[in-house]
Amino acid sequence: MHRAAFLMARRSEVEKKDPWDVFMMVFAIFVRDIHHLDISDDQLEHERHYLVSHYRGKGAYQQRRSLDSALEILEDDYQQLYDEIFLGCPTFRRGVKKLVVASAEIECESKFKAMLSRFDSQKDKPSERVRTAQHESDAVLVMILALATMGHYCQSHDLFQRWNHLQLMAQLHCFENDKRSTDPCKGWHKEQTLIFKNTIEPLVARVETLLPQNSWLRFACINNLTLWERDGREWVSYCLIPEARVTAAPWAHNSDMISSNLSILEALLAEIAANRGEDGTVGEVDWESVKKTRTPYEEMRLSLDVGRGDNRVRIDPLDHDDLPARVQEELRDFMLAIANGHGRNEFHNFHHASHAAHIADLLLQSLEKESDEDRNIAFDPLVRFAVVLCALVHDVGHSGVPNHRLKVEKPELAEKYSNKSIAEQNAIDMTWRIFMSDDFQNLREFMFGSSVAECKKLRDLMVNGIMATDFENPVLKALRKRRWKKASTCKSTKATLIMEHVLQISTVSHSVQVWEIFLEWNERQFWEAYLAFLEERSSKDPSESWYEDQLKFFDNLVLPLTETGTETGVWDILSDQLFQQATRNRLKWELEGKNICESLIQKTKARFSKPSDATATTATESILTSTIVEQIESLSKVIKRYERKVETACGNLITVAYNDHSSQATKGLRNQSWSEMHQHFKQQGWYRVHSKTMDDEDDVPEMYSRPPKDDVVHDC
């Protein structure tokens, strides 16, 4: 539904459309699958389902039934709305029915080709038909609806994989329940490739003629097809192995993440080189002069030179394949090094970093539409490269615990960074050390040419950007507030703050996205906190207050961040959208969060609890383990028994030493603990003498010599 509304909104940028068309489009998508049975029409006909006879074999049986049911509900339960719709648009039923039926024609090759032919004939020979406008409008709506129903094929690769996985699991479920004749797993890769080439590409080619220029549909479609042809078979195998889904850690980066990040950075590299305007040859560059001499905290600046005006050379995302091979190779190696630098965490991992990088890039793209010169930081390709890179590396070296815990676990880092923003400063230093190594000299020379100043600028941008992601440091928080107050009078300060603001939102972007994405990352965040608690790296059990903590997270961080964008005018429309989505997520969490937490806690404890035989995978290990446990328990009993004997012996020793059974001092000593007795003994001269080795026994003074053994036994 959202895809259709978005495409219709883009269509309206070119040509003003009847709002009833948009309403019919959204309504059709909203109701078309109400009674879908997850099987094809061919299977319904094979089973001789009652829907086939009911609709007289006209096809689109499930869609027709869904529409009839929706209209019945609308007429019976919402009479006033029903009257309003049909009075405003008398042809509503016919129009929606045509759209709903057309959405099912994609599955039939002959009907799909006929649909494309109707669209082409309307575009080529509009004057030869009667009621041209209406027919053309119907053809346009059908085409947009068809693409919207399969829109995940031309969205980001992560979304494509998610929906493709759900589709595969649904088809597999049908096969296992004898509702599909063929196993979808055997030909899924080939089937999806044919859908791309025979269905999606023709749809995209026609829909793009209805949209403004620079549409992302074609690029996303080609990107997904390329990645699917390369990695699809491996992905299908991964989806079909339950053990792989359980044991494959979320921190494990894969080729899709690497490739999607590289596609952004390579395009930006091409822009950087194009804007520099050099021939690519460089002389001797003193890279040593760029290496850091201070800590990142000390390098932070209130404002940076982050804008060049609207003079950027535009590079099409498909035109960056001509980068030098050595540069592409080094950039990929650099990306792999960054991926390997991320910890094995549930939340703060390379997957989270890639998610943040894509969100940061989208936020920067939205800034390009703004007209104010001081907000157009996205027109400086080096700044944009730095922002995406900061989002990718802001958690390099993260160990899964906050900074206050790092002070205990890694005191050497805490001392190095003066107990300030330890994780953030460490991430900057680790990334910069990798980037400045000899392995990436060609990459640096391609980016900066012979300009050491540009390299230093990248360092400054990284320092300010990553340090801005520390939300705990009270000094930095107060400093940011003061800088925002002065931003209206200083363009460079405002531009710097906008860059930092983009990174701050991208690192918590799951909270300003749709509810399902928020829940997914919220679960990972809880797992990481709970695992730290189990490993005694945190004294706080997150399960006790997770519901309240998330409300505070929204109130104290997320909502103020989105409000800052609205109040300062960073974005005209996007800020309102982010704030509204964050508010919706916060309200929904307040209403449903307690139930979600109960389920999450049960799921988490089941996941991290150790099975009874977790330490004994074989019979031999089990026997050895039980034997060791028995011996330890027996040894513990012996130790406790001897502790009691030692205490008794100490009491007798006190009696012998003082030869006064009834004195208050003797009774007091006998009632003391072993450690208190020991401290008392060490202060006595006889104890020090008898603590020496037996080699000195002859030199012991007579007054300190041992009493005869029999006497000792008798006194004891």
Side-chain angles (χ1 to χ4, degrees), residues 350-590:
F350 187 65
H351 191 177
H352 162 67
S354 300
H355 184 249
H358 281 262
I359 296 299
D361 186 52
L362 290 174
L363 292 174
L364 288 173
Q365 290 179 29
S366 68
L367 281 175
E368 290 185 335
K369 301 175 183 178
E370 307 295 343
S371 57
D372 291 354
E373 182 181 351
D374 59 341
R375 287 185 286 175
N376 275 338
I377 64 169
F379 288 115
D380 187 338
L382 182 59
V383 173
R384 187 167 168 181
F385 182 93
V387 171
V388 175
L389 181 61
C390 286
L392 275 173
V393 306
H394 76 280
D395 281 332
V396 167
H398 203 290
S399 57
V401 290
N403 281 324
H404 64 265
R405 178 63 187 177
L406 286 179
K407 296 177 183 179
V408 178
E409 294 187 359
K410 298 183 178 180
E412 69 284 355
L413 279 183
E415 181 180 0
K416 177 181 179 180
Y417 298 123
S418 304
N419 292 321
K420 300 174 182 177
S421 305
I422 302 171
E424 289 75 19
Q425 294 195 75
N426 185 50
I428 295 171
D429 283 348
M430 287 181 65
T431 303
W432 196 250
R433 188 162 54 248
I434 295 171
F435 182 70
M436 294 304 296
S437 67
D438 294 338
D439 295 332
F440 306 108
Q441 182 170 345
N442 291 321
L443 175 61
R444 293 195 303 271
E445 291 177 351
F446 183 80
M447 288 181 64
F448 311 120
S450 56
S451 175
V452 175
E454 288 291 282
C455 188
K456 290 181 178 179
K457 179 180 177 179
L458 177 64
R459 166 77 183 185
D460 292 339
L461 292 169
M462 286 183 58
V463 168
N464 270 53
I466 296 178
M467 292 300 294
T469 63
D470 183 5
F471 299 110
E472 294 183 357
N473 192 313
V475 177
L476 295 182
K477 290 167 63 177
L479 181 61
R480 277 192 290 269
K481 288 183 179 179
R482 292 199 299 268
R483 291 165 67 200
W484 272 115
K485 292 179 180 179
K486 299 179 180 179
S488 59
T489 59
C490 181
K491 289 185 177 182
S492 60
T493 300
K494 183 175 182 178
T496 305
L497 285 169
I498 291 174
M499 179 200 73
E500 296 174 2
H501 191 71
V502 168
L503 280 165
Q504 289 170 336
I505 292 182
S506 66
T507 57
V508 295
S509 58
H510 66 283
S511 56
V512 295
Q513 292 183 276
V514 295
W515 177 248
E516 291 76 15
I517 293 179
F518 166 72
L519 286 183
E520 177 185 349
W521 288 100
N522 182 269
E523 183 179 76
R524 296 184 183 188
Q525 196 172 15
F526 178 80
W527 285 346
E528 183 172 298
Y530 190 76
L531 191 58
F533 171 72
L534 291 181
E535 294 174 348
E536 298 183 355
R537 303 176 68 200
S538 172
S539 59
K540 181 181 179 181
D541 184 354
S543 62
E544 296 177 353
S545 59
W546 191 253
Y547 171 75
E548 294 79 7
D549 291 344
Q550 292 305 295
L551 291 178
K552 294 178 182 177
F553 173 70
F554 275 107
D555 294 338
N556 300 334
L557 179 59
V558 178
L559 292 178
L561 270 179
T562 54
E563 284 178 332
T564 299
T566 303
E567 295 171 357
T568 57
V570 177
W571 293 281
D572 291 336
I573 299 176
L574 184 60
S575 292
D576 292 334
Q577 295 174 345
L578 295 176
F579 178 74
Q580 291 171 8
Q581 184 62 51
T583 304
R584 284 193 292 269
N585 288 343
R586 199 261 185 216
L587 178 60
K588 198 165 185 178
W589 179 263
E590 186 175 7

Side-chain angles (χ1 to χ4, degrees), residues 258-277:
I258 298 292
S259 299
S260 60
N261 295 327
L262 283 174
S263 65
I264 297 175
L265 295 180
E266 286 176 352
L268 293 172
L269 275 180
E271 290 187 13
I272 291 173
N275 277 268
R276 192 177 66 245

